[in-house]
Amino acid sequence: MKFYTTRKDQFTAALTLLKKQYNTISIIRFSLAIIIIALGYYSLQSGDFDDYIPPILVCIVLFLYLMKKHGIVADKKLRAATLIAINKDEITHLERKGSNFEDGGEYTDFKHPYSYDLDVFGQNSLFQHINRTETYKGKEKLAQMLLSTLSHDTILQNQDAIKELSNKPEWRQEIQALGRMKKDSSSAYNKLIEWGSGSTKGVSTVGYLLAIVAPVALVGYFIGYIITSNEALLSTSGYIFLFNLFMVAGKGKVFKNEVNTTTNVNEILNQYSLIIAQIEKEEFKSDKLNDLKQKLSSGDKPAGQLIKKLATLFSQMDTISNAIAALVINGLFQYHVHILKGLHDWKKQHSASIPVWLDIIAEFEALNSLANLTYNNRDYTFPALATDYTIAFKDVAHPLLNTETRVGNDVTFLPEFTILTGSNMSGKSTFLRSLGVNMILAGIGAPVCATAATIHPLPILVSMRLSDSLSDSESYFFAEIKRLKQIMAELDGQRSFVLLDEILRGTNSDDKRTGTIEVVKKMIARKAVGAIATHDIEVCNITANYDSLINRCFEVEIINNDLHFDYKLRNGICKNKSATFLMEKMQVI
């Protein structure tokens, strides 16, 4: 917390100074503009240009310098304001007063094996808790990571990268600020990818030669006119000017297509180039980060420079929308023909690298998000990886619970499958979600909310919180049966980590008990690792017949006529009941 408050105060003070500097430059620029106009007026009135031209030129040079300086200060001001917002967001998050981070709700998939059941996306979700990405592709990359289990080697590589990045909080915030200052979008990203993969009608060799020869000839004829005052030379210059416009107008459709792509993309490209530049100049130790960094080039040229060049070309192409300026510069130089050739050459040489570069930015953003999780939670641990299907946690808890009140539990899945009992509100569902969420984190190389852990990364299969599908005319019960069928099919292919919470709720008690017992038997037969929560004590009796099955429970006590939950996991079957007591206390019965 201290880091964020210090940074917030630091950039708040810097922003105050930058605002003063910005306003001062604005006043001086305005004053210079007045002076230039006044000097120009008096020179015309007096007819004495020699005395006025030097101070006018000096004022113009100062004005242009201050324009550039003004832009630099404006960028610094935006950066400071963005970093203030970033640190305020972190403080708000850590104080549990809400979250300003995007929640990834658009990635919710009701048919995914666990994303909906474990609240991976949406308000107050795991994604929102972790997410510090700012680009469209970065957010998508983090979502993809949370929806899959990575290979053993990739998890170890990610762990090393995340550990290293967790110790670079200032650098991580710089990447985050650059992404936030000029926010991209899916449409901007897709427009850029389509441009890179699409064909562009380039400039022919003859056309390009004419774009060089004609402007040179125009300049030559005009200089000749100035020297000789020969009107024929001036007329020829005029004809060449019109010829240049004609040549540019002939490519009007091509220019239009390019402008449709380049509008607003150049600013985002410039931000991409700044993010890449930050990556290129940073020193890393982990293999993963250095491998990513080494991919940021094309033909031995740094990707940051190349992306910046493309941003400049896009910006220059956009000037065709300014009719008067376009008329002058194209009539004189066929300016946009040269820009079109530059874009075509850039695309030909480097367009295949665009998706790679943007994916690397996204990868860094996703890893930065997980590094931020590590930095904010120094009590988390990076799990040791096992290859013998061992899954063991010490003091495991749900990362979204309040650190001051959450209760951790020790659990080892030896035996492999657990029947979990306990009264309502005793902590069964929260415990199952804690296991699921931490298995997700472990499976992508992130730290887990536990003091120690050993994990064999496994596919995660969950049936905890399905929903009726009215559009598919599908009842809750049928949706649950389909999910169970999906889980069984997955288990036929590979061993998995399974979490089931009070299944078959939509049928009578006997049918539910029989069905639950048969499901547990199927889990054991397929060597599933995991747990099933149930209120039916009779289901627990089958543990006597299987070495790979164990009963665990959460208990509730009635103390001073009130329910007391300690949320501690115990071996055995739940003995205490709370439903009747609670209904009597609340005068329901």
Side-chain angles (χ1 to χ4, degrees):
M1 181 75 80
K2 183 179 179 182
F3 171 78
Y4 299 122
T5 55
T6 301
R7 296 270 288 179
K8 177 179 72 71
D9 295 342
Q10 171 191 339
F11 289 110
T12 298
L15 182 60
T16 300
L17 293 175
L18 288 167
K19 284 180 177 178
K20 290 180 181 178
Q21 190 177 356
Y22 184 87
N23 292 335
T24 300
I25 293 173
S26 296
I27 293 170
I28 296 173
R29 277 180 58 196
F30 180 75
S31 300
L32 283 172
I34 297 297
I35 291 170
I36 291 168
I37 293 171
L39 290 173
Y41 173 78
Y42 285 122
S43 68
L44 290 172
Q45 288 292 312
S46 64
D48 186 7
F49 297 106
D50 292 341
D51 291 337
Y52 287 98
I53 286 177
I56 288 174
L57 290 176
V58 169
C59 289
I60 289 173
V61 170
L62 285 173
F63 184 85
L64 293 174
Y65 167 77
L66 288 175
M67 276 187 66
K68 184 176 181 180
K69 184 72 174 176
H70 204 247
I72 293 171
V73 173
D75 288 341
K76 289 181 177 179
K77 191 159 67 78
L78 177 59
R79 173 181 174 271
T82 304
L83 285 164
I84 290 169
I86 286 171
N87 285 282
K88 281 184 176 179
D89 288 346
E90 289 292 348
I91 293 168
T92 300
H93 173 75
L94 291 174
E95 290 179 342
R96 304 184 65 83
K97 294 181 179 178
S99 179
N100 294 321
F101 304 110
E102 292 185 62
D103 62 22
E106 64 270 31
Y107 301 111
T108 300
D109 181 359
F110 297 103
K111 296 181 180 179
H112 188 269
Y114 59 78
S115 76
Y116 178 66
D117 300 72
L118 295 179
D119 299 314
V120 176
F121 303 108
Q123 279 295 314
N124 303 313
S125 64
L126 178 65
F127 182 90
Q128 189 174 41
H129 182 68
I130 295 173
N131 179 37
R132 299 299 182 271
T133 65
E134 296 294 343
T135 69
Y136 158 73
K137 195 64 179 176
K139 187 168 70 165
E140 186 180 75
K141 176 69 72 173
L142 180 60
Q144 289 172 350
M145 288 176 69
L146 292 172
L147 291 174
S148 59
T149 301
L150 303 178
S151 69
H152 189 284
D153 290 341
T154 305
I155 291 172
L156 290 176
Q157 290 175 0
N158 279 4
Q159 285 186 355
D160 288 342
I162 292 163
K163 289 174 185 176
E164 181 175 356
L165 290 172
S166 69
N167 294 318
K168 296 176 179 285
E170 293 90 352
W171 185 82
R172 286 189 284 103
Q173 283 199 353
E174 198 65 38
I175 298 293
Q176 190 177 355
L178 288 170
R180 189 180 290 196
M181 284 163 65
K182 289 287 188 296
K183 199 78 170 173
D184 72 350
S185 62
S186 60
S187 60
Y189 172 83
N190 291 327
K191 188 184 287 188
L192 180 60
I193 296 301
E194 287 171 10
W195 176 84
S197 60
S199 60
T200 298
K201 186 177 180 181
V203 180
S204 67
T205 303
V206 174
Y208 186 60
L209 285 173
L210 288 173
I212 295 173
V213 173
V216 170
L218 186 151
V219 172
Y221 277 109
F222 188 72
I223 291 173
Y225 164 72
I226 293 174
I227 295 172
T228 65
S229 298
N230 186 331
E231 294 292 336
L233 295 176
L234 181 62
S235 297
T236 303
S237 298
Y239 289 131
I240 297 174
F241 185 90
L242 293 174
F243 172 79
N244 286 339
L245 289 177
F246 174 79
M247 292 298 293
V248 173
K251 296 178 176 58
K253 188 175 180 179
V254 179
F255 290 135
K256 184 179 179 181
N257 290 336
E258 290 297 320
V259 170
N260 286 339
T261 298
T262 60
T263 302
N264 299 326
V265 174
N266 59 298
E267 289 187 354
I268 293 169
L269 270 173
N270 191 59
Q271 292 306 114
Y272 287 156
S273 75
L274 294 174
I275 293 173
I276 290 173
Q278 287 292 322
I279 296 170
E280 288 172 335
K281 70 182 183 182
E282 187 68 17
E283 294 294 328
F284 300 111
K285 295 179 181 178
S286 78
D287 292 339
K288 171 101 176 187
L289 299 178
N290 280 313
D291 287 345
L292 290 171
K293 181 179 174 180
Q294 287 172 9
K295 294 177 182 177
L296 290 173
S297 62
S298 178
D300 296 327
K301 293 184 179 179
Q305 292 181 17
L306 292 171
I307 287 285
K308 190 174 183 64
K309 173 64 175 176
L310 181 60
T312 301
L313 289 169
F314 276 4
S315 178
Q316 291 168 335
M317 180 57 72
D318 274 349
T319 58
I320 201 169
S321 301
N322 186 326
I324 296 175
L327 185 69
V328 174
I329 59 180
N330 283 315
L332 292 173
F333 310 115
Q334 293 193 39
Y335 177 79
H336 286 99
V337 173
H338 292 279
I339 301 304
L340 181 64
K341 185 177 188 302
L343 282 169
H344 183 263
D345 290 346
W346 195 102
K347 179 187 285 190
K348 187 177 179 180
Q349 296 173 40
H350 310 297
S351 62
S353 298
I354 292 176
V356 177
W357 295 338
L358 299 191
D359 195 65
I360 289 170
I361 292 176
E363 185 91 12
F364 266 99
E365 282 197 292
L367 292 171
N368 278 348
S369 293
L370 298 173
N372 192 80
L373 176 72
T374 308
Y375 184 83
N376 285 349
N377 299 277
R378 292 299 186 180
D379 56 333
Y380 284 18
T381 187
F382 285 89
L385 296 191
T387 57
D388 59 355
Y389 300 101
T390 296
I391 294 177
F393 290 101
K394 184 178 180 181
D395 292 323
V396 66
H398 200 294
L400 269 64
L401 292 177
N402 192 325
T403 55
E404 297 178 0
T405 57
R406 71 186 179 207
V407 177
N409 282 289
D410 299 348
V411 62
T412 300
F413 286 91
L414 289 172
E416 291 88 346
F417 210 77
T418 294
I419 297 178
L420 186 63
T421 53
S423 63
N424 289 317
M425 302 184 296
S426 63
K428 299 191 307 299
S429 295
T430 299
F431 178 68
L432 293 181
R433 285 194 168 88
S434 299
L435 292 173
V437 166
N438 282 293
M439 284 295 290
I440 292 171
L441 293 173
I444 61 175
V448 296
C449 184
T451 56
T454 301
I455 303 295
H456 182 138
L458 293 172
I460 302 164
L461 307 173
V462 182
S463 180
M464 292 185 64
R465 194 192 68 184
L466 301 171
S467 64
D468 294 352
S469 179
L470 297 178
S471 61
D472 295 336
S473 301
E474 189 173 89
S475 69
Y476 180 97
F477 181 72
F478 188 63
E480 187 174 34
I481 296 298
K482 284 177 65 177
R483 172 57 62 85
L484 290 173
K485 181 180 178 181
Q486 177 187 359
I487 290 173
M488 294 301 178
E490 291 291 332
L491 286 170
D492 284 336
Q494 58 186 329
R495 208 167 177 186
S496 303
F497 188 78
V498 181
L499 298 171
L500 307 174
D501 189 12
E502 200 64 35
I503 61 172
L504 307 177
R505 301 176 202 181
T507 186
N508 64 66
S509 298
D510 290 338
D511 202 19
K512 177 181 176 182
R513 180 183 304 117
T514 302
T516 301
I517 290 172
E518 291 303 315
V519 166
V520 172
K521 289 180 179 179
K522 290 282 188 181
M523 294 289 121
I524 296 167
R526 287 164 171 77
K527 297 183 178 181
V529 183
I532 181 170
T534 180
H535 285 289
D536 197 324
I537 303 300
E538 292 187 35
V539 174
C540 302
N541 295 332
I542 68 169
T543 58
N545 302 322
Y546 298 94
D547 293 335
S548 58
L549 194 59
I550 188 174
N551 287 311
R552 290 184 170 115
C553 66
F554 287 96
E555 289 288 11
V556 58
E557 295 181 282
I558 300 174
I559 302 175
N560 297 326
N561 200 36
D562 203 358
L563 292 176
H564 174 71
F565 300 99
D566 63 9
Y567 306 113
K568 296 302 294 184
L569 185 68
R570 297 170 171 83
N571 287 333
I573 303 171
C574 172
K575 297 176 182 178
N576 297 324
K577 301 177 181 179
S578 62
T580 303
F581 169 81
L582 190 60
M583 287 191 290
E584 287 176 348
K585 184 175 181 178
M586 298 185 69
Q587 299 180 349
V588 175
I589 58 175

